[in-house]
Amino acid sequence: MTRHVEHVMGTVFSFDVRRSGGRHDDAGTSVTEAVAWLHHVDEVFSTYKPDSPVSRLGRGEIALADCPPEVADVLRMCESVNDRSRGYFTAYPGGRLDPSALVKGWAVERASAMLRDAGAPDHCVNGGGDVRLSGSAGPGRSWRVGVAHPLRPGDLAAVVTGNDLAVATSGTAERGAHVIDPHTGRPATDLASVTVIGPDLTLADAYATAAFAMGGAAREWVEELDGYEAFAVTATGGTWRTSGL
């Protein structure tokens, strides 16, 4: 087993790589490469670094063609989720370029793919609470991910169990009411948290942000998404989940 914790992108990323027939040294090397990727993403997409390509693009100092190619890829994905969510997801919250609500999940998804390509199929990558589970936790063992209760610190609201899953949560527990409803320009307050589960963390992360912004309409919307389910805690402490969860 190889474990590693890295502080990057303004949060904590953890790697848990299980032995699956490959060499232990190979797992360590693949984690090192995945960590380097996360730092690259931070340098390109951080809105807190004034010299990052995304910061400079947002200020109009450079054009999209002047940015690394992954910036255009990410913005295309953001536009796709914007369309799919009827505008509840945006790469321009408050009118300022900030694709962070998709970037973290996308970065973790890519890091997980790097580990699989390097011969480490059984692993968990956790990026600030957004989790990509690959393979299994061990022979005959599923991964288990606890969903923190947003209104009761230290308690779990649910436990997600399975293999080859992405689990992303958007809520108020860590950063307060920070998700803006693009249609009103005000913080979304109907939900305390919403967790989206599906096969891809890029989309699960973005869908969780969109669902949180939707509030009460989120359950019906997620039901329409192919392959994705959701669990939510409302602002008053109630819960709901989609039918396939």
Side-chain angles (χ1 to χ4, degrees):
M1 181 186 299
T2 297
R3 287 180 173 167
H4 179 78
V5 174
E6 189 76 11
H7 293 261
V8 62
M9 296 172 65
T11 189
V12 178
F13 287 75
S14 64
F15 294 80
D16 182 346
V17 183
R18 303 301 169 95
R19 289 180 180 270
S20 54
R23 295 191 311 162
H24 184 72
D25 290 346
D26 292 341
T29 299
S30 62
V31 168
T32 299
E33 292 172 348
V35 166
W37 157 251
L38 295 177
H39 282 280
H40 169 73
V41 171
D42 192 30
E43 291 300 318
V44 172
F45 288 95
S46 174
T47 58
Y48 296 98
K49 298 179 186 292
D51 292 332
S52 74
V54 160
S55 291
R56 297 184 65 203
L57 178 65
R59 294 194 300 267
E61 296 175 1
I62 58 175
L64 185 58
D66 300 317
C67 297
E70 54 261 40
V71 175
D73 293 340
V74 162
L75 293 183
R76 278 194 294 269
M77 288 186 283
C78 287
E79 187 61 31
S80 175
V81 178
N82 177 278
D83 293 343
R84 200 170 303 167
S85 66
R86 302 187 291 273
Y88 278 99
F89 179 90
T90 177
Y92 296 87
R96 174 173 171 263
L97 177 61
D98 183 359
S100 302
L102 181 142
V103 164
K104 181 154 65 75
W106 168 76
V108 171
E109 186 68 34
R110 181 75 65 87
S112 175
M114 292 171 70
L115 295 176
R116 287 194 299 275
D117 291 345
D122 301 316
H123 60 261
C124 168
V125 184
N126 183 335
D130 294 333
V131 183
R132 182 62 165 91
L133 309 169
S134 179
S136 64
R141 294 173 54 207
S142 296
W143 294 101
R144 292 170 58 84
V145 177
V147 178
H149 200 296
L151 304 178
R152 298 201 296 266
D155 287 353
L156 294 180
V159 176
V160 177
T161 303
N163 300 327
D164 290 314
L165 287 176
V167 183
T169 298
S170 183
T172 60
E174 298 294 328
R175 298 172 55 193
H178 68 285
V179 177
I180 302 298
D181 178 349
H183 296 293
T184 65
R186 297 190 296 271
T189 57
D190 285 357
L191 301 178
S193 75
V194 59
T195 298
V196 174
I197 301 98
D200 181 273
L201 191 58
T202 305
L203 292 179
D205 191 15
Y207 288 164
T209 299
F212 191 89
M214 286 181 195
R219 183 175 183 175
E220 182 178 353
W221 176 68
V222 177
E223 292 278 11
E224 298 171 357
L225 298 175
D226 185 22
Y228 290 84
E229 304 292 341
F231 169 83
V233 179
T234 69
T236 57
T239 63
W240 55 256
R241 63 181 179 178
T242 52
S243 58
L245 188 63

